[in-house]
Amino acid sequence: MKTTKNDRRYRNGHLPWYRKKGVPRLIVGCILVLIVVLMVGVSLFWTPHSPVSGNLADRLVAPFHTGKSGTFYLLGTDPLGRDMTSRIMAGGQVSVLVALLTVALCALLSTFLGVLSGYYRGWVDSVLSMICEINISIPLFLIVIMIIAIFGSSVFVLALCLALNEWVSVFRQTRSKAIVQSNYEYVTAARVMGANNRKIIIHHLIPNIVPTTMVFSTLLVGSTIIAESGLAYLGLGVSKPFPTWGRMISEGQAYMNTEWWVSGIPAICIAILVLGVNLIGDGLRIIWRME
Amino acid sequence: MSEQILNARPLLEVQDLKVYFPVYNKSLIRKKIGDVKAVDGVNLIITKGQTFGLVGESGCGKSTLGRAILRLYNETTGRILFDGRDITDLKGRELLRLRRDMQLIFQDPYSSLDPRMTVFDIISEPIKLHEKCGKEELRKRVHELMDVVGLPDSMMTRRPSEFSGGQRQRIGIARAIALKPKLVICDEPVSALDVSIQSQILNLLADLKKEYDLTYLFIAHGLAAVKHISDDIGVMYLGRLVEVSPKSQLYRNPLHPYSQGLISAVPEPDPDLKKEENLLSGEVPSPINPPSGCPFHPRCRFAASCGQRCYTERPELREAEPGHLVACHLFDKEA
């Protein structure tokens, strides 16, 4: 047995954390996400050019080229002569914010309801499961379109709509995990010791369910960003002229054959973020040894 | 020992305890179609300082009985008296206070410890639930408890996944005795362990009993483990007690045919010893539809020769010898 000084490092699987399977994924994922987040973060204070107004003389300049006005554009310009670099940086704000909000909402909602459902069972479980099945059987995209048409499309409404669309998949996982955990004897032990339902849920069930929630929520980030892009593509995203990645793709589709970068570059950005977050989720899943 | 029983007052008295779990059909509209009669009218007295062994096949309701005494089921009827007080309907704060005095040691040392907690968290949990206790004092008490159950101090910050079954069971025992309870219900505490570890844990339980003045209700599925630790033994069959007797009498002279079968099933280490053939055959009947009359009659070797009563009349637990109770028509003197 190792010395007690190093115990912390050899705990859980008896491997130092950096040698565990899944850690490379986690690191690569973190780097990708960090790049995107840094880029978006910087755009809050500074962008190379204005993301909303452009120079019509420099329409559709290719990446790494200089426009007619003599300005160099790292990622080219769009059909209105706006700098793609600035638009990508600023457009990420909405995409990332919506994705994070949605996933946070999903995680909170599904942990809470999943624990209630899995611990109390009975009618609570029946009602929640029924709501889930209704939720799945109706194409929610239509309802989302309706909600946005009524309430307009602020970041929060968008996040709420998307969360409504996606919480079921996490809820099912947390519920089944809660059922399994509730049947373990340590819950009985807590009850024998005198813990009430609230204490059992807070001290025992939730800590055992949080890893599941985290993994499945991170896996949702990808589909959320894609769904947001889809809404933006349909013109239902956050209002113009402020760019989002999804709307940039939709605006560039007319130029796809000749000027690929107008919709290609935001698509690459979405791909990088989705890949990064999925790698994080996958890495955590492997490290925590979950199915 | 019988003298001791006469002098000591009962710590736990169970009167006609029944635990029926309702069974529903599986259609959309739920309809009750019967009861699982897990515990079906048990009378039991455990005196202070005694170890009462409860034996029976799996599914006979012995664990349910233990947990019903701990007030873990709502489906309970009958009376449970603890320390002279009726605890059958305790609620809220009163029930919480009762929890201090009764604890449970689990069969499965793997699922009975929260995998996300450290040993310190696990052992200190009952103390935190019942007492306001400073951090230093808490640490000291956990340290003492770990010392008592034989766990080195350095393991305090580890998680259950790093321990062996025996060590985990020690953690569970430390947790159970943390509040110095009066009654500890041991729900097959050694049946999930290696034979070599079993005796260690049994010895630990025996030591703790002396040190903390505990009373045990010791549940086991075979007579071998109970023989070592019990004073009195109750044999359970299909939710009912069929024989209650001091240990020595039960092993020397088992009266109920079921107890005889259980004793004949204990493996003998001596190969030269001529062994009686296995006296038990068949399966335990369903507790949803227990047999009429004596629940043991379909498996009893005497039922055919004994007469009609075994098929129609349920035998009551009666004293056949001094201190030796049995529920069987063979020993019914009124017949």
Side-chain angles (χ1 to χ4, degrees):
Chain A
M1 191 171 284
K2 279 281 166 190
T3 55
T4 45
K5 198 182 159 194
N6 286 330
D7 269 353
R8 254 164 212 286
R9 283 175 52 196
Y10 286 84
R11 179 190 282 177
N12 198 7
H14 306 284
L15 270 178
W17 66 270
Y18 52 85
R19 284 181 55 194
K20 276 186 183 164
K21 279 182 184 175
V23 167
R25 285 169 210 238
L26 191 67
I27 290 171
V28 172
C30 284
I31 290 171
L32 289 180
V33 170
L34 208 67
I35 289 172
V36 172
V37 168
L38 268 179
M39 191 179 82
V40 171
V42 168
S43 78
L44 290 171
F45 310 104
W46 175 83
T47 50
H49 301 275
S50 165
V52 289
S53 62
N55 185 351
L56 276 176
D58 293 346
R59 292 177 73 239
L60 296 170
V61 175
F64 304 110
H65 281 75
T66 307
K68 283 180 186 127
S69 66
T71 328
F72 176 74
Y73 295 106
L74 185 65
L75 297 176
T77 60
D78 73 351
L80 294 175
R82 294 175 292 196
D83 175 35
M84 286 294 292
T85 320
S86 310
R87 283 177 70 75
I88 288 285
M89 286 169 73
Q93 290 174 17
V94 173
S95 296
V96 170
L97 194 65
V98 167
L100 289 183
L101 261 177
T102 306
V103 168
L105 271 173
C106 271
L108 280 178
L109 198 70
S110 53
T111 306
F112 182 67
L113 295 180
V115 167
L116 285 189
S117 195
Y119 181 69
Y120 287 107
R121 305 303 302 271
W123 65 268
V124 183
D125 190 29
S126 308
V127 168
L128 284 171
S129 301
M130 219 177 278
I131 289 173
C132 262
E133 264 146 44
I134 293 170
N135 205 326
I136 290 167
S137 57
I138 297 174
L140 246 111
F141 226 68
L142 295 177
I143 291 176
V144 168
I145 289 171
M146 196 180 75
I147 293 174
I148 290 175
I150 294 170
F151 294 104
S153 55
S154 68
V155 170
F156 191 72
V157 172
L158 215 57
L160 205 66
C161 288
L162 292 170
L164 210 64
N165 206 358
E166 283 168 352
W167 71 282
V168 174
S169 63
V170 188
F171 168 79
R172 288 185 154 181
Q173 298 295 337
T174 50
R175 171 178 171 270
S176 67
K177 187 87 178 171
I179 292 172
V180 172
Q181 299 291 324
S182 305
N183 285 327
Y184 278 142
E185 300 260 51
Y186 68 78
V187 172
T188 316
R191 200 169 305 142
V192 172
M193 283 184 270
N196 53 22
N197 289 337
R198 190 173 54 88
K199 278 180 182 151
I200 290 173
I201 287 176
I202 292 174
H203 293 305
H204 294 286
L205 287 184
I206 288 184
N208 277 293
I209 284 164
V210 160
T212 313
T213 318
M214 276 183 70
V215 168
F216 284 94
S217 304
T218 50
L219 295 178
L220 266 190
V221 171
S223 59
T224 307
I225 289 173
I226 290 164
E228 193 270 332
S229 305
L231 281 176
Y233 185 87
L234 294 172
L236 292 165
V238 174
S239 51
K240 289 177 180 181
F242 208 75
T244 75
W245 290 348
R247 207 171 56 241
M248 287 166 76
I249 297 176
S250 94
E251 281 167 3
Q253 61 175 327
Y255 306 89
M256 197 81 88
N257 290 330
T258 46
E259 285 87 18
W260 63 269
W261 61 90
V262 181
S263 51
I265 288 173
I268 291 170
C269 284
I270 291 175
I272 290 175
L273 182 58
V274 170
L275 182 68
V277 175
N278 277 351
L279 282 175
I280 292 178
D282 212 30
L284 287 178
R285 184 181 60 78
I286 295 170
I287 292 169
W288 285 330
R289 291 184 196 157
M290 291 196 302
E291 288 312 307
Chain B
M1 207 217 26
S2 57
E3 197 180 311
Q4 182 197 342
I5 289 173
L6 286 175
N7 293 336
R9 66 201 168 93
L11 179 70
L12 178 80
E13 199 172 343
V14 174
Q15 294 171 354
D16 197 28
L17 189 76
K18 288 178 182 165
V19 185
Y20 288 2
F21 296 110
V23 183
Y24 297 99
N25 63 351
K26 283 187 178 163
S27 71
L28 196 62
I29 301 152
R30 294 213 309 176
K31 213 174 118 191
K32 194 176 152 186
I33 50 174
D35 284 308
V36 173
K37 294 170 180 161
V39 177
D40 196 9
V42 165
N43 292 293
L44 186 68
I45 293 177
I46 302 180
T47 46
K48 213 167 159 59
Q50 191 190 17
T51 298
F52 189 93
L54 194 60
V55 191
E57 277 165 294
S58 42
C60 73
K62 53 198 189 310
S63 289
T64 313
L65 174 61
R67 279 156 204 238
I69 292 169
L70 285 162
R71 292 287 321 278
L72 286 173
Y73 298 120
N74 295 324
E75 297 87 349
T76 312
T77 56
R79 254 154 63 91
I80 308 166
L81 300 170
F82 183 74
D83 231 358
R85 205 156 64 106
D86 190 341
I87 60 160
T88 326
D89 297 311
L90 283 190
K91 281 199 180 91
R93 191 157 293 179
E94 297 270 283
L95 185 60
L96 186 65
R97 208 167 296 149
L98 174 75
R99 298 277 185 228
R100 292 187 70 120
D101 294 334
M102 277 190 190
Q103 276 303 323
L104 178 61
I105 295 172
F106 291 88
Q107 171 179 17
D108 181 1
Y110 291 88
S111 76
S112 61
L113 305 176
D114 186 337
R116 301 248 149 221
M117 285 179 145
T118 62
V119 174
F120 174 79
D121 291 334
I122 290 169
I123 299 177
S124 63
E125 192 185 3
I127 304 173
K128 280 188 202 153
L129 280 169
H130 288 271
E131 291 166 30
K132 286 206 170 69
C133 191
K135 215 168 186 183
E136 263 320 296
E137 201 203 330
L138 203 62
R139 187 161 288 276
K140 215 180 95 201
R141 284 177 69 175
V142 172
H143 174 85
E144 269 168 31
L145 285 163
M146 287 177 73
D147 201 43
V148 168
V149 299
L151 287 169
D153 210 29
S154 59
M155 293 179 168
M156 207 187 257
T157 55
R158 299 207 196 167
R159 276 163 222 276
S161 58
E162 296 170 63
F163 292 93
S164 68
Q167 284 173 317
R168 282 158 175 255
Q169 201 57 294
R170 285 174 196 268
I171 299 170
I173 292 170
R175 174 176 67 183
I177 60 166
L179 294 166
K180 305 200 166 54
K182 292 175 182 156
L183 175 71
V184 176
I185 294 176
C186 309
D187 190 358
E188 305 196 29
V190 295
S191 41
L193 303 175
D194 268 359
V195 182
S196 56
I197 311 292
Q198 283 188 1
S199 57
Q200 287 178 19
I201 296 293
L202 286 175
N203 287 334
L204 173 65
L205 287 172
D207 292 344
L208 289 175
K209 186 187 164 187
K210 268 183 228 145
E211 197 170 331
Y212 287 88
D213 197 17
L214 302 172
T215 305
Y216 286 141
L217 172 59
F218 194 95
I219 300 169
H221 58 238
L223 279 164
V226 183
K227 190 176 184 177
H228 183 66
I229 196 165
S230 306
D231 303 319
D232 278 13
I233 292 178
V235 179
M236 235 177 135
Y237 185 75
L238 221 60
R240 292 161 201 193
L241 273 174
V242 294
E243 185 162 2
V244 181
S245 129
K247 173 173 69 176
S248 52
Q249 279 190 46
L250 184 77
Y251 280 92
R252 199 162 14 89
N253 181 23
L255 295 179
H256 198 281
Y258 181 61
S259 315
Q260 292 169 1
L262 279 185
I263 286 176
S264 80
V266 175
E268 281 294 339
D270 183 357
D272 298 329
L273 203 70
K274 195 163 172 279
K275 205 165 173 267
E276 271 183 278
E277 65 186 296
N278 202 351
L279 301 178
L280 270 183
S281 57
E283 295 273 328
V284 187
S286 154
I288 300 177
N289 271 320
S292 63
C294 174
F296 187 61
H297 82 251
R299 300 171 74 188
C300 182
R301 16 182 213 138
F302 300 110
S305 57
C306 199
Q308 207 56 39
R309 291 183 70 194
C310 294
Y311 299 91
T312 54
E313 195 183 320
R314 179 176 161 182
E316 295 298 322
L317 205 57
R318 287 201 179 87
E319 199 162 46
E321 303 168 10
H324 193 155
L325 308 174
V326 63
C328 180
H329 289 307
L330 281 174
F331 305 95
D332 218 341
K333 299 218 171 83
E334 289 159 37

